[in-house]
């Protein structure tokens, strides 16, 4: 029987293993086959002009005539590879290095002629490697489990004392459980992507060059300049006619043909500053009114997204408040922190003894400054309530005797006085 493939004998990639090729030739012999027939079958298995065929042509005739000598010569020319068996630690490292690909989870594949899921095929391979690793107690199960994708780590629950129990639990996971886990992971991934997008927008708005980019966004260096205004004529510059005759400043105007004296720059308009002091109970009332509809979101993925949208909206509405909010513009509070004025730490938003480590990551400086201001307003307003209004002093003003005499005289002269009756 001719071999399925030819043997080249030069270690090329598609060349069969020499020992396998020799076994294939031997499988075609019968007990009654002569040595000459066997030698011819071996020669027919060599590729034309190959290293193996050239080697066969150089053999002595007596070697070709005796199959035992010919087979020994072949094994001498192409000896069996010497394989150093791996150590137990190497086999255990191979077991821990075998990873389950995330894209194989829930996918139907063919393994040993049987349809199964990708995780089931991986579990069968792990079971075989665990036998070679000589780990009957399952000491390396936790290492292999930690290397699985997050979906599988959530679905494979409990503890396992043997590799057989661990692999059986992986194979028992249903398609519905996998579909639900993948859907939940996609939802969480979408929330994280949206959170990263909002965070990038916030960082772009906080960039020191953001106002310049906004101001120059519509600038075009090729824009044509507007036509220059025509110079004022003498008739426009010097008042004439009736206007000139009635102008009391005409004597102080420059003579014709001389350059006009430039007018002094206008005096700057004084800046209207807010009063530096306001009663704390008034500030407390403004703080309560402006935080009435403000939402303090819970510490959930959805709450984090809503909070970041709150921060973006606040900074867009208050571009000139570079230190944080106040009673007029309350700053949004980080989800999971305490409300203002409750004795919380201004840096982390939670309550802990002074000098001890913070219980969470510090909030941003805008919120820290706002918590200080709002806490001061609430504390001083409660400790120093407004005093009740005092009654006004009313002073009695008595009429002088001279005024009473004048008033009596005035009353006597009302009407016609000494004149005729009407």
């Amino acid at each position: 029987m001719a071999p399925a493939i030819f043997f080249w004998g030069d270690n090329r990639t598609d060349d069969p293993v020499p020992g396998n090729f020799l076994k294939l030739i031997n499988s075609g012999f019968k007990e009654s086959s002569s040595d000459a027939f066997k030698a011819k079958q071996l020669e027919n298995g060599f590729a034309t002009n190959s290293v193996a065929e050239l080697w066969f042509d150089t053999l002595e005739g007596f070697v070709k005539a005796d199959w035992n000598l010919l087979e020994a010569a072949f094994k001498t020319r192409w000896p069996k590879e010497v394989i150093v068996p791996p150590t137990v630690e190497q086999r255990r490292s191979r077991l821990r290095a075998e990873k389950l690909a995330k894209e194989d989870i829930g996918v139907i594949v063919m393994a040993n002629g049987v349809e199964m899921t990708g995780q089931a095929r991986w579990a069968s391979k792990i079971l075989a490697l665990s036998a070679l690793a000589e780990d009957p107690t399952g000491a390396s199960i936790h290492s292999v489990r930690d290397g699985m994708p997050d979906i599988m780590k959530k679905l494979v629950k409990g503890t396992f004392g043997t590799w057989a129990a661990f692999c059986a639990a992986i194979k028992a996971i249903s398609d519905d459980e996998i579909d639900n886990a993948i859907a939940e992971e996609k939802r969480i991934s979408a929330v994280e992507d949206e959170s990263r997008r909002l965070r990038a927008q916030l960082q772009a708005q906080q960039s020191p060059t953001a106002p310049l980019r906004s101001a120059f966004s519509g600038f075009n260096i090729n824009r044509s300049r507007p036509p220059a205004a025509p110079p004022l004529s003498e008739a426009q510059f010097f008042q004439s006619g009736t206007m000139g005759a009635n102008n009391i400043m005409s004597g102080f105007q420059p003579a014709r043909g001389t350059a006009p004296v430039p007018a002094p720059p206008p005096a700057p308009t004084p800046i209207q500053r807010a009063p530096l002091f306001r009663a704390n109970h008034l500030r407390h009332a403004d703080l309560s009114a402006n935080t009435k509809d403000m939402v303090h979101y819970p510490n959930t993925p959805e709450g984090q997204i809503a909070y970041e949208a709150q921060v973006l909206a606040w900074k867009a509405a208050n571009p000139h408040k570079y230190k944080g909010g106040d009673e007029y513009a309350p700053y949004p509070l980080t989800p999971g922190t305490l409300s203002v004025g409750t004795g919380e730490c201004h840096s982390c938003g939670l309550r802990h003894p002074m000098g001890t480590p913070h219980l969470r990551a510090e909030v941003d400086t805008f919120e820290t400054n706002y918590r200080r201001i709002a806490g001061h307003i609430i504390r001083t307003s409660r400790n120093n309530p407004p005093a009740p209004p005092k009654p006004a002093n009313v002073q009695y003003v008595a009429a002088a005797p001279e005024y009473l005499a004048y008033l009596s005289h005035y009353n006597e002269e009302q009407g016609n006085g000494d004149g005729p009756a009407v």
Side-chain angles (χ1 to χ4, degrees):
M1 180 181 67
I5 56 176
F6 291 102
F7 180 70
W8 291 81
D10 53 4
N11 291 326
R12 62 181 58 197
T13 305
D14 57 347
D15 211 17
V17 177
N20 293 341
F21 171 76
L22 187 59
K23 291 178 181 179
L24 182 63
I25 295 297
N26 276 309
S27 65
F29 297 160
K30 298 179 180 179
E31 292 183 3
S32 59
S33 297
S34 62
D35 290 351
F37 174 79
K38 296 178 181 179
K40 191 61 177 178
Q41 288 295 101
L42 181 63
E43 181 183 9
N44 290 338
F46 297 144
T48 303
N49 293 327
S50 64
V51 173
E53 188 179 57
L54 296 177
W55 166 81
F56 185 83
D57 293 342
T58 59
L59 293 175
E60 298 291 341
F62 71 92
V63 176
K64 296 178 181 180
D66 189 333
W67 173 248
N68 292 331
L69 295 177
L70 181 58
E71 186 177 19
F74 182 91
K75 292 180 179 180
T76 302
R77 177 60 182 82
W78 289 281
K80 183 187 298 186
E81 293 289 342
V82 178
I83 300 177
V84 179
T87 63
V88 174
E89 183 56 35
Q90 288 175 334
R91 291 195 292 268
R92 291 178 179 177
S93 299
R94 174 70 181 86
L95 172 63
R96 292 189 293 266
E98 188 65 32
K99 303 295 182 182
L100 173 60
K102 183 178 179 180
E103 55 270 15
D104 291 342
I105 299 176
V107 179
I108 301 300
V109 296
M110 291 292 296
N112 299 326
V114 179
E115 286 188 350
M116 62 180 66
T117 60
Q119 68 269 16
R121 179 180 61 180
W122 177 80
S124 298
K125 193 171 185 179
I126 287 294
L127 188 60
L129 291 174
S130 67
L132 298 175
E134 300 180 11
D135 184 21
T137 61
S140 300
I141 291 179
H142 69 280
S143 299
V144 175
R145 185 175 184 175
D146 289 343
M148 295 191 305
D150 292 338
I151 293 179
M152 293 301 299
K153 286 191 287 188
K154 293 178 181 178
L155 295 177
V156 181
K157 303 175 183 178
T159 57
F160 306 95
T162 63
W163 286 100
F166 173 66
C167 295
I170 294 175
K171 295 180 179 180
I173 297 175
S174 64
D175 294 340
D176 291 339
E177 292 176 309
I178 294 176
D179 293 340
N180 293 336
I182 292 176
E184 178 65 14
E185 186 178 64
K186 289 181 178 178
R187 187 188 68 80
I188 296 176
S189 178
V191 171
E192 293 176 349
D193 292 343
E194 182 67 14
S195 177
R196 284 192 291 268
R197 184 185 65 81
L198 292 174
R199 191 176 296 110
Q201 291 180 357
L202 177 60
Q203 291 175 352
Q205 288 190 358
Q206 290 179 339
S207 172
T209 61
L212 292 177
R213 294 199 304 269
S214 177
F216 286 97
S217 61
F219 182 73
N220 185 2
I221 60 175
N222 296 324
R223 182 180 298 172
S224 60
R225 298 179 59 186
L232 294 175
S233 63
E234 291 185 356
Q236 294 172 321
F237 186 81
F238 297 105
Q239 296 181 0
S240 60
T242 305
M243 182 68 73
N246 297 330
N247 186 4
I248 62 174
M249 298 301 294
S250 59
F252 298 94
Q253 292 180 349
R256 293 175 179 272
T258 61
V261 178
T269 304
I271 300 176
Q272 300 295 331
R273 298 186 180 275
L276 298 179
F277 173 79
R278 290 179 70 240
N280 281 297
H281 70 280
L282 298 178
R283 300 184 68 186
H284 195 174
D286 290 335
L287 180 65
S288 300
N290 292 325
T291 56
K292 180 181 63 174
D293 298 327
M294 193 171 179
V295 180
H296 189 182
Y297 289 99
N299 190 16
T300 61
E302 294 80 3
Q304 291 289 345
I305 294 177
Y307 161 72
E308 293 181 1
Q310 274 185 320
V311 172
L312 289 177
W314 186 95
K315 294 193 175 183
N318 303 280
H320 302 296
K321 290 185 179 293
Y322 296 108
K323 293 185 178 181
D326 50 25
E327 67 268 29
Y328 300 111
Y331 193 80
L333 301 182
T334 301
T337 59
L338 298 176
S339 301
V340 295
T342 57
E344 83 283 10
C345 172
H346 296 158
S347 298
C348 70
L350 299 177
R351 190 181 299 110
H352 60 85
M354 185 177 296
T356 60
H358 297 301
L359 301 180
R360 64 175 309 279
E362 295 186 13
V363 300
D364 61 38
T365 56
F366 280 65
E367 183 176 342
T368 295
N369 291 330
Y370 167 66
R371 286 182 178 274
R372 289 173 180 166
I373 294 173
H376 172 77
I377 292 174
I378 295 173
R379 183 174 61 257
T380 53
S381 176
R382 290 172 178 170
N383 296 338
N384 301 292
K390 297 181 180 180
N393 294 326
V394 179
Q395 296 181 354
Y396 174 74
V397 181
E402 294 81 3
Y403 176 77
L404 294 176
Y406 167 76
L407 183 60
S408 175
H409 173 72
Y410 177 78
N411 290 335
E412 292 176 353
E413 291 182 351
Q414 290 188 32
N416 292 329
D418 295 334
V422 177

